[in-house]
Amino acid sequence: SARAELSRPRRTGGIEVQQVAQYDGAALTGQRFLIRKLGKEPLALGEERDAPAGALAFAYGRETLPPGEATSAFLVFGKGGLE
């Protein structure tokens, strides 16, 4: 099943992150986040190779995020997410 999980945007380290959707399957949970670059320098997302804590997989919609632009990040967890 899929549902919108529109959380409030959170700012950290020159970016703004907002969860925009969650997809629940029998064994996996997928989460989609919107990431917006707030600072003046581009952010090299492709250099990040370590998955966030508890994630089985992750991907970014773009390799580099220019200032003022946004992209998606996708995370996959075992059933239950980070809980």
Side-chain angles (χ1 to χ4, degrees):
S1 70
R3 63 180 191 248
E5 289 287 322
L6 297 176
S7 66
R8 292 185 178 262
R10 295 183 186 147
R11 293 181 178 201
T12 179
I15 61 171
E16 182 178 87
V17 179
Q18 180 180 19
Q19 183 178 357
V20 294
Q22 182 161 313
Y23 310 92
D24 294 311
L28 300 173
T29 296
Q31 296 175 337
R32 179 174 167 243
F33 293 85
L34 183 66
I35 300 174
R36 182 175 310 282
K37 180 65 173 109
L38 301 174
K40 296 179 181 178
E41 298 295 321
L43 177 62
L45 295 170
E47 293 178 2
E48 183 62 46
R49 298 292 179 214
D50 295 325
L56 301 174
F58 75 102
Y60 296 110
R62 301 170 73 170
E63 290 289 314
T64 303
L65 189 56
E69 294 192 22
T71 192
S72 291
F74 303 91
L75 291 92
V76 178
F77 299 94
K79 193 64 177 168
L82 291 175
E83 298 172 19

